């Protein structure tokens, strides 16, 4: 067979020579034969000297090189034509050396047309490089560039080089081309080690390294991270490969080394300890996956042993590919397991800085953000194990209200209990509800939404509150036994249904307890009736009964007296029909007093609430209620005082004041108009606060509280909004920056207090004018009686002295005025003012009334100007209502504040230096009046005796 092949090659080569070297016309036959034989010998020597190509035969790679060359030559149509021809070539079964044909064509295309040895783009150089590398290996010259050369050869564009042959090994096929007598000594020599044509490995041991069978025998140990004879582990993160192995074997061993090293590192992670239940669950899950990996290795080891046994029994060790198990097949079989180990290694590396919900989020990110189905399925399988502790904590929280998280891995954390001595104003129930547990948003895993996490947080907090603050642990235990069920990852529908049922049941029970057992809504309504002055008859009766006591200084006030008057007001009004528990919580108390305070300044009402109601009615809320009550109580006081003065004026107009109308009619007309303005202002202010603000906010609060899905947090939030709306719209919370002091100050509160103080001062001045009128009326009555008596005695009714007294501007100049001058309606000791005959009391009173009226209008204009620029519509509406007939001129002013320079309104002073009426300067900015002497209390005290009294400020 070999001789026939050699004969065919010689015939083909002779024909080729005949074609390429034709005979010359003038050449004889002997010379032509000699020239033909020389050309044939040259062709044979060229064939024998070139040998086989230095690259691995790959028909696809050869076709790619040809197409690349055609594209480089700007011949895309030829490249397309070549692709069609190549496809037809592959379908021809007759041609068995397709790669050799394409290789030869490519070589010829790159050959020099002028002659010379053909040399392709990188293909022929591999043969030269291989020979050079073989010589360097035999001489032991392995430089530092050896590894780089290996990589360049392995990934060269010309193709993968063949295995370097041994120096004594003959090239494959050299015996087939042995000529019949014209061979050199090197071609006639026999090889020392004959090679089988069907294998690439010699049967004798060589220095190139262990065989593939030996490597397969050690592979199961290597994949388990154990050192073997040929593949030892010098360290936990390194694997030594045998020297002098072919590049393909090195590449395969590199691929198989990855799962080996990953397994070693993951085994160390599983054996390490972790402080955390979810971290321990991750180690357990990784350990489970590693056990599955070991099962794969056991199966692979069985296959390798059967293959090696088959080879040994058939004595075909050199034909390892025939046994069905090779290193390349082992790479394919372990590819999926390698991907799993790689994923677990990434998870373990990222898990070093995470715990709890963050760890779950990290693993879940592989499932949702990766497009590879294998990665998603693997992450889901890991999550089913890792999330078990998380769902156990979740189940205990939503069914028991207990937080079982010893390592702080849950997204709900329990804060340290506050010492009761830290803040004595803090309500215990408020602290339990708002500060015992906290939602840690950074620990919320992305397997649940933030809204879902807040619902879970509210369920457990409500159960804990019902158990410990509401003392209803029996219901919590019964609910847990009835509704508790197992939760696990992946069952999203069951989890959502469970959470919704638990949320509805818990919220319904908590609202039921706060309404029925602890009467929360009744307490809120009681606060509105008593502290927000909603119970009108009770407030009116309380004001009337307390007015006499509260006029005295604050130091003379006693709590038992105030409590008695409070009980009297309750029994005399519809408040008596409220529940005893509500009335028991209502109490009167005195605030901190300062020098010069009266009872009006320190009196307040208090409504006491207990736990757990103080979760909603917090200490902050009590402070807001107290602030609103103080403002409304001041307004009510001014309304009561103005009403009393108005009634006195209207009653006196038909009696006492009618007799002096000719002299003081203009004064009383002006006074009545100004009082009417003040009454209108107070009435509109009360209507706005009580109805436009409080009632409207109360309706919104009722709507929020009676929603079907209302929670305790919703109640707290709605009540907070209710109080903020009242204080803001009730002119108590609007502030602005003071450019002089650098602090924020109230816009309306200080203005209202100043206006109320001016109204009280004006009321006192009108009372002084009334007393003056009563004194004038008394003098005229005495004179008329004297005239009648004298006439009855037959004397002149009037004398010159009487005419002088009658024409005197001061009704208190009569010498006998001491015991008879005061009328029963005068509340002031006008008779004891010790004024001279030319005293200008009436002009002083007129001047004071005029100044107070002007100051009142100025401040009202300023207040209306500030109200009109407010963004709130209701506050603008208040300005419109107060100025419905445009009697005021609202102006936007720049507030100028000078420290310690508050405007004062002094009373008129006569020549003797005695004051008729004065308003003391403010000392604390709260509209408080200082006393200069004893105040006059009742209206009839002025006519008791004729002894002289010193002037006092009008209250």
């Amino acid at each position: 067979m070999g001789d026939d092949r050699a004969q065919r090659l010689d015939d083909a080569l002779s024909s080729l020579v005949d074609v390429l070297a034709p005979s010359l016309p003038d050449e004889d036959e002997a010379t032509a034969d000699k020239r033909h034989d020389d050309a044939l010998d040259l062709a044979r020597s060229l064939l024998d000297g070139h040998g086989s190509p230095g690259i691995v035969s790959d028909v696809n790679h050869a076709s790619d090189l040809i197409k690349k060359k055609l594209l480089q030559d700007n011949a895309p149509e030829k490249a397309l034509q070549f692709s069609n021809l190549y496809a037809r070539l592959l379908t021809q079964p007759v041609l068995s050396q397709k790669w050799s044909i394409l290789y030869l064509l490519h070589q010829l295309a790159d050959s020099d047309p002028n002659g010379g040895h053909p040399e392709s783009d990188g293909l022929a150089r591999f043969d030269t490089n291989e020979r050079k590398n073989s010589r360097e290996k035999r001489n032991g010259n392995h430089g530092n560039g050896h590894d780089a050369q290996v990589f360049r050869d392995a990934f060269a564009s010309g193709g993968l080089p063949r295995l370097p042959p041994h120096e004594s090994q003959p090239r494959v096929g050299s015996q087939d081309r042995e000529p019949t007598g014209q061979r050199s000594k090197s071609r006639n020599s026999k090889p020392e080690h004959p090679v089988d044509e069907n294998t690439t490995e010699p049967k004798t041991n060589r220095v190139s390294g262990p065989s593939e069978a030996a490597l397969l025998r050690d592979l199961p140990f290597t994949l388990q991270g154990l050192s073997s004879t040929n593949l030892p582990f010098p360290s936990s993160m390194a694997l030594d490969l045998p020297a002098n192995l072919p590049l393909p074997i090195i590449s395969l061993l590199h691929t198989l080394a990855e799962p080996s090293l990953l397994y070693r590192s993951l085994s160390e992670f599983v054996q390490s300890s972790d402080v955390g239940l979810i971290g321990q669950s991750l180690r357990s899950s990784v350990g489970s996956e590693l056990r599955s990996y070991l099962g794969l290795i056991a199966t692979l080891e069985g296959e390798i042993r059967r293959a090696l046994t088959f080879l040994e029994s058939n004595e075909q060790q050199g034909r390892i590919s025939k046994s069905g198990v090779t290193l390349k097949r082992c790479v394919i079989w372990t590819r999926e397991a390698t991907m799993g180990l790689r994923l677990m290694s990434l998870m373990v590396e990222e898990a070093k800085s995470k715990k709890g919900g963050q760890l779950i989020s990290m693993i879940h990110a592989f499932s949702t953000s990766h497009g590879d189905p294998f990665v998603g399925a693997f992450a889901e399988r890991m999550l089913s194990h890792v999330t078990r502790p998380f769902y156990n904590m979740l189940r205990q929280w939503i069914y028991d209200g207990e937080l079982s998280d010893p390592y702080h891995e849950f997204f709900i954390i329990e804060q340290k209990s506050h010492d009761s001595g830290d803040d004595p104003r803090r309500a215990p129930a408020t602290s339990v509800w708002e500060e015992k547990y906290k939602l840690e948003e950074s620990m919320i895993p992305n397997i649940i939404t933030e809204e879902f996490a807040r619902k879970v947080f509210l369920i457990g907090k409500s159960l804990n509150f019902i158990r410990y603050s509401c003392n209803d642990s029996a219901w919590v235990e019964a609910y847990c036994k009835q509704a508790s069920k197992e939760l696990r990852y992946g069952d999203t529908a069951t989890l959502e249904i469970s959470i919704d049922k638990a949320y509805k049941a818990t919220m319904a029970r908590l609202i039921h307890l706060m309404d029925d057992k602890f009467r929360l809504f009744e307490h809120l309504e009681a606060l509105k009736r008593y502290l927000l002055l909603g119970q009108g008859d009770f407030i009116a009766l309380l004001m009337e009964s307390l007015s006499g006591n509260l006029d005295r200084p604050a130091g003379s006030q006693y709590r038992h007296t105030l409590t008695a008057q409070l009980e009297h007001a309750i029994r005399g009004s519809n408040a008596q029909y409220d529940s005893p528990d509500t009335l028991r919580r209502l109490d009167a108390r005195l605030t901190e007093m300062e020098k010069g305070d009266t009872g009006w300044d320190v009196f307040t009402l208090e409504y006491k609430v207990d736990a757990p109601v103080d979760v909603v009615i917090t200490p902050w809320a009590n402070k807001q209620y107290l602030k609103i009550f103080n403002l409304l109580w001041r307004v009510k006081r001014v309304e009561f005082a103005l009403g009393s003065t108005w009634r006195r004026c209207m009653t006196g107009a038909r009696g006492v004041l009618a007799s002096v109308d000719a002299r003081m009619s203009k004064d009383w007309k002006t006074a009545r108009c100004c009082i009417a303005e003040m009454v209108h202002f107070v009435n509109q202010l009360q209507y706005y606060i009580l109805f436009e603000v409080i009632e409207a906010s109360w309706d919104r609060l009722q709507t929020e509280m009676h929603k079907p899905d209302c929670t305790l947090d919703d109640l707290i939030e709605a009540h907070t909004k209710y109080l903020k709306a009242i204080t803001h719209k009730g002119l108590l919370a609007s502030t602005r920056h003071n450019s002089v002091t650098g602090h924020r100050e109230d816009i309306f509160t200080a203005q209202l207090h100043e206006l109320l103080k001016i109204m009280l001062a004006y009321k006192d001045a009108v009372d002084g004018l009334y007393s003056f009128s009563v004194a004038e009326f008394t003098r005229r009555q005495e004179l008329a009686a004297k005239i009648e008596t004298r006439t009855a005695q037959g004397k002149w009714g009037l004398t010159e002295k009487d005419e002088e007294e009658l024409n005197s501007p001061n009704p208190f100049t009569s010498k006998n005025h001491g015991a008879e001058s005061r009328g029963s309606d005068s509340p002031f000791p006008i008779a004891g003012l010790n004024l001279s005959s030319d005293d200008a009391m009436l002009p002083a009173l007129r001047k004071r009334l005029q100044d107070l009226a002007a100051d009142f209008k100025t401040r009202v204009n300023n207040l209306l100007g500030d109200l009109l620029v407010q963004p709130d519509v209701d506050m603008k509406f208040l300005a419109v209502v107060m100025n419905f007939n445009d009697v005021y001129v609202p102006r936007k002013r720049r507030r100028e504040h000078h420290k310690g320079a508050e405007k004062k309104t002094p009373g008129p002073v006569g020549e003797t230096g005695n004051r008729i009426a004065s308003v003391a300067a403010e000392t604390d900015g709260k509209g408080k009046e200082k006393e200069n002497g004893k105040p006059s209390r009742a209206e009839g005290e002025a006519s008791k005796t004729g002894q002289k009294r010193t002037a006092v400020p009008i209250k």
Side-chain angles (χ1 to χ4, degrees):
M1 183 68 182
D3 296 338
D4 295 338
R5 183 172 181 272
Q7 186 62 39
R8 289 199 304 270
L9 287 176
D10 289 339
D11 295 340
L13 191 58
S14 178
S15 301
L16 182 62
V17 170
D18 291 338
V19 173
L20 295 177
S23 60
L24 299 175
D26 54 349
E27 187 180 19
D28 56 0
E29 185 176 357
T31 304
D33 291 339
K34 185 177 185 307
R35 185 169 58 81
H36 181 272
D37 292 338
D38 292 340
L40 187 60
D41 291 340
L42 178 60
R44 287 173 178 168
S45 63
L46 289 175
L47 291 177
D48 292 339
H50 188 273
S52 60
I55 60 173
V56 178
S57 59
D58 189 353
V59 62
N60 295 323
H61 186 263
S63 65
D64 291 339
L65 290 176
I66 295 175
K67 284 190 289 185
K68 184 185 296 183
K69 178 172 179 56
L70 292 175
L71 293 175
Q72 290 176 354
D73 295 339
N74 294 326
E77 64 282 353
K78 293 183 179 181
L80 180 60
Q81 184 179 4
F82 171 77
S83 299
N84 296 331
L85 294 175
Y86 172 67
R88 293 173 59 186
L89 176 64
L90 293 180
T91 59
Q92 300 296 327
V94 178
L95 301 176
S96 60
Q97 301 294 331
K98 298 181 179 64
W99 175 81
S100 301
I101 297 172
L102 294 176
Y103 179 76
L104 177 61
L105 294 175
H106 187 271
Q107 290 284 75
L108 294 175
D110 285 343
S111 62
D112 188 2
N114 297 324
H117 185 71
E119 185 173 80
S120 65
D121 185 14
L123 291 176
R125 285 195 295 271
F126 288 119
D127 195 15
T128 306
N129 292 335
E130 288 301 325
R131 295 191 183 93
K132 182 178 178 180
N133 292 336
S134 299
R135 289 195 300 271
E136 290 179 354
K137 291 178 182 179
R138 289 194 301 270
N139 296 331
N141 296 329
H142 299 280
N144 294 331
H146 175 67
D147 293 338
Q149 182 63 33
V150 169
F151 275 97
R152 286 195 296 270
D153 292 345
F155 297 99
S157 60
L160 183 64
R162 289 183 180 272
L163 296 178
H166 195 268
E167 186 179 34
S168 60
Q169 179 182 352
R171 291 187 176 89
V172 178
S174 61
Q175 296 179 357
D176 297 337
R177 296 191 298 268
E178 193 71 30
T180 57
Q182 299 180 357
R183 297 290 181 180
S184 62
K185 293 182 179 180
S186 60
R187 292 196 298 270
N188 292 331
S189 61
K190 300 295 183 180
E192 296 180 359
H193 303 285
V195 180
D196 191 354
E197 294 179 359
N198 297 323
T199 182
T200 60
E201 295 184 5
K203 294 185 179 180
T204 58
N205 293 330
R206 299 183 301 174
V207 296
S208 59
S211 63
E212 187 175 2
L215 295 175
L216 285 173
R217 186 177 290 106
D218 295 341
L219 183 61
F221 301 97
T222 303
L223 293 176
Q224 298 178 61
L226 302 176
S227 297
S228 60
T229 304
N230 298 313
L231 301 171
F233 284 92
S235 65
S236 60
M237 298 303 295
L239 175 64
D240 283 348
L241 300 180
N244 303 324
L245 284 176
L247 288 177
I249 301 298
I250 292 292
S251 177
L252 293 175
L253 290 179
H254 272 291
T255 306
L256 292 171
E258 182 183 4
S260 306
L261 297 175
L262 291 176
Y263 177 82
R264 286 176 67 93
S265 63
L266 292 175
S267 297
E268 293 177 359
F269 172 75
V270 171
Q271 294 173 4
S272 63
S273 60
D274 182 87
V275 181
L277 298 178
I278 296 181
Q280 295 175 13
S281 180
L282 175 62
R283 282 165 171 76
S284 175
S285 178
V286 172
S288 177
E289 294 294 332
L290 290 182
R291 286 191 293 272
S292 300
Y293 170 76
L294 291 179
L296 173 63
I297 300 305
T299 304
L300 182 61
E301 183 180 8
E303 294 292 333
I304 292 174
R305 288 185 177 180
R306 280 192 292 270
L308 295 177
T309 303
F310 172 78
L311 291 177
E312 292 175 357
S313 62
N314 292 275
E315 298 182 354
Q316 294 180 350
Q317 292 86 348
R319 302 171 60 87
I320 187 65
S321 60
K322 301 298 183 179
S323 63
V325 179
T326 59
L327 289 176
K328 191 170 185 179
R329 290 188 177 181
C330 291
V331 169
I332 296 173
W333 290 341
T334 59
R335 179 176 297 173
E336 186 173 337
T338 303
M339 291 181 62
L341 294 174
R342 192 181 302 154
L343 279 175
M344 288 190 291
S345 179
L346 290 175
M347 294 176 185
V348 168
E349 188 66 26
E350 294 187 16
K352 292 180 180 179
S353 60
K354 294 179 174 60
K355 69 173 185 177
Q358 299 173 346
L359 193 59
I360 296 176
S361 299
M362 181 268 296
I363 300 175
H364 188 256
F366 285 95
S367 174
T368 56
S369 62
H370 205 286
D372 192 346
F374 172 80
V375 176
F378 188 87
E380 291 288 325
R381 188 167 66 250
M382 292 282 292
L383 281 175
S384 63
H385 296 279
V386 175
T387 55
R388 287 178 182 175
F390 173 81
Y391 280 101
N392 289 335
M393 289 185 281
L394 179 63
R395 184 193 59 80
Q396 196 165 0
W397 173 255
I398 64 174
Y399 292 126
D400 292 339
E402 297 290 345
L403 183 60
S404 178
D405 184 20
Y407 302 109
H408 306 290
E409 297 177 295
F410 203 49
F411 59 86
I412 298 171
I413 60 175
E414 182 176 3
Q415 303 187 102
K416 295 182 179 179
S417 59
H418 294 272
D419 187 3
S420 59
D422 293 344
D423 189 0
R425 297 171 298 176
R426 186 185 302 278
T430 304
S431 178
V432 168
W433 178 259
E434 295 184 354
E435 299 183 3
K436 184 176 181 180
Y437 296 105
K438 180 183 177 183
L439 182 65
E440 188 68 25
E441 296 182 358
S442 61
M443 296 295 290
I444 299 177
N446 54 13
I447 59 176
I448 61 176
T449 61
E450 186 174 350
E451 180 182 359
F452 188 84
R454 293 188 181 278
K455 186 179 290 188
V456 170
F457 172 68
L458 190 58
I459 292 172
K461 188 170 67 169
S462 301
L463 288 174
N464 189 275
F465 187 77
I466 292 173
R467 183 191 293 270
Y468 295 106
S469 298
C470 300
N471 298 321
D472 196 9
S473 57
W475 181 87
V476 176
E477 294 175 359
Y479 164 75
C480 178
K481 293 179 181 179
Q482 177 184 1
S484 180
K485 60 180 63 176
E486 183 182 1
L487 303 176
R488 61 181 180 272
Y489 177 76
D491 195 357
T492 307
T494 303
L495 178 62
E496 291 180 354
I497 292 174
S498 301
I499 294 299
D500 289 340
K501 289 183 178 180
Y503 181 79
K504 293 178 181 179
T506 306
M507 294 302 106
R509 180 62 182 179
L510 181 57
I511 298 301
H512 172 76
L513 289 175
M514 297 299 289
D515 184 16
D516 291 353
K517 183 177 180 180
F518 300 105
R519 307 292 181 184
L520 171 63
F521 299 147
E522 291 185 6
H523 292 320
L524 292 175
E525 190 172 356
L527 284 168
K528 175 179 174 292
R529 289 202 309 269
Y530 297 118
L531 294 189
L532 302 184
L533 276 60
Q535 190 76 28
D537 57 343
F538 165 76
I539 296 299
L541 185 56
L542 181 65
M543 180 76 67
E544 184 178 355
S545 60
L546 285 176
S547 59
N549 291 328
L550 297 181
D551 284 334
R552 296 198 300 266
S556 62
Q557 303 294 328
Y558 299 100
R559 184 168 182 176
H560 64 273
T561 304
L562 300 178
T563 305
Q565 296 297 334
L566 176 63
E567 293 178 356
H568 168 70
I570 291 174
R571 290 193 301 269
S573 64
N574 287 331
Q576 62 181 320
Y577 301 110
D578 282 346
S579 64
D581 179 69
T582 301
L583 298 177
R584 178 180 58 84
R585 298 175 184 275
L586 188 63
D587 191 15
R589 69 180 182 92
L590 300 174
T591 59
E592 296 181 2
M593 61 184 68
E594 299 179 4
K595 184 178 180 181
D597 288 346
T598 62
W600 294 104
D601 300 320
V602 297
F603 173 79
T604 186
L605 287 181
E606 182 183 25
Y607 190 86
K608 301 176 182 179
V609 293
D610 303 327
V613 179
D614 54 0
V615 170
V616 179
I617 307 173
T618 60
W620 174 84
N622 286 327
K623 188 181 298 183
Q624 301 303 309
Y625 277 116
L626 180 61
K627 184 188 296 184
I628 300 168
F629 172 78
N630 288 335
L631 175 63
L632 293 176
W633 184 253
R634 288 173 181 267
V635 175
K636 275 291 183 182
R637 176 199 175 187
V638 173
E639 181 194 27
F640 179 77
L642 292 177
S644 300
T645 301
W646 181 263
R647 287 193 301 270
R648 185 182 297 114
C649 292
M650 293 297 102
T651 304
R654 297 187 296 269
V656 177
L657 301 182
S659 61
V660 296
D661 187 62
R663 184 180 180 185
M664 305 175 64
S665 60
K666 184 177 180 180
D667 299 328
W668 278 110
K669 181 179 180 181
T670 303
R672 282 193 291 267
C673 290
C674 190
I675 289 177
E677 286 185 29
M678 294 179 180
V679 170
H680 170 74
F681 178 85
V682 171
N683 289 338
Q684 293 301 325
L685 182 62
Q686 281 193 101
Y687 166 79
Y688 169 74
I689 297 177
L690 293 178
F691 293 95
E692 297 292 340
V693 176
I694 295 179
E695 288 296 335
S697 301
W698 175 258
D699 289 340
R700 288 192 292 270
L701 176 63
Q702 292 290 98
T703 303
E704 293 292 331
M705 289 192 305
H706 292 89
K707 285 184 177 180
D709 56 346
C710 183
T711 65
L712 187 57
D713 277 336
D714 294 337
L715 289 179
I716 296 173
E717 183 179 0
H719 186 248
T720 303
K721 289 182 179 179
Y722 166 70
L723 292 179
K724 287 183 177 179
I726 292 176
T727 53
H728 174 69
K729 293 186 177 182
L731 312 180
L732 289 172
S734 298
T735 59
R736 67 181 173 189
H737 183 75
N738 191 314
S739 58
V740 178
T741 62
H743 301 291
R744 298 193 65 83
E745 61 180 10
D746 293 336
I747 297 178
F748 301 113
T749 305
Q751 295 187 59
L752 288 178
H753 287 171
E754 287 295 328
L755 283 170
L756 296 177
K757 185 181 71 173
I758 291 174
M759 293 179 195
L760 291 175
Y762 194 87
K763 173 258 181 188
D764 291 340
V766 171
D767 287 343
L769 182 63
Y770 184 82
S771 299
F772 187 90
S773 301
V774 169
E776 176 69 17
F777 172 77
T778 303
R779 188 180 66 166
R780 294 190 179 190
Q781 289 294 329
E782 290 178 353
L783 183 59
K786 185 184 295 185
I787 292 173
E788 184 178 355
T789 302
R790 288 179 180 179
T791 303
Q793 293 177 356
K795 299 179 180 180
W796 294 100
L798 287 177
T799 62
E800 294 181 358
K801 185 177 181 181
D802 294 334
E803 291 180 356
E804 291 178 359
E805 293 179 359
L806 183 62
N807 296 327
S808 173
N810 185 7
F812 305 110
T813 56
S814 177
K815 294 180 180 179
N816 299 326
H817 186 71
E820 304 172 357
S821 61
R822 297 190 57 197
S824 60
D825 292 334
S826 176
F828 297 100
I830 304 299
L833 291 178
N834 195 20
L835 300 176
S836 61
S837 60
D838 55 358
D839 193 355
M841 171 178 273
L842 183 59
L845 285 173
R846 289 173 177 172
K847 182 67 168 58
R848 178 172 177 77
L849 291 171
Q850 183 179 358
D851 292 343
L852 290 174
D855 193 12
F856 172 76
K857 288 188 177 181
T858 301
R859 293 184 180 274
V860 170
N861 288 334
N862 294 335
L863 177 64
L864 296 181
D866 291 338
L867 286 173
L868 288 175
V869 298
Q870 294 298 312
D872 189 85
V873 178
D874 293 334
M875 299 177 74
K876 290 182 178 179
F877 179 72
L878 173 61
V880 174
V881 171
M882 286 185 174
N883 194 24
F884 68 96
N885 55 356
D886 293 333
V887 69
Y888 300 108
V889 182
R891 59 187 180 127
K892 184 179 180 181
R893 58 189 175 83
R894 177 176 295 179
R895 186 178 180 86
E896 297 180 357
H897 181 81
H898 299 282
K899 186 175 181 181
E902 297 271 344
K903 182 177 180 181
K904 301 180 177 61
T905 308
V909 181
E911 291 182 359
T912 61
N914 298 321
R915 291 179 179 269
I916 298 290
S918 64
V919 178
E922 283 186 346
T923 58
D924 53 0
K926 300 180 180 177
K928 300 175 182 177
E929 298 177 358
K930 304 285 185 177
E931 293 184 287
N932 294 329
K934 273 190 177 180
S936 300
R937 311 308 302 172
E939 294 183 0
E941 290 183 0
S943 61
K944 289 183 180 179
T945 60
Q947 69 182 59
K948 297 180 181 180
R949 298 175 182 266
T950 58
V952 296
I954 297 176
K955 297 291 289 179

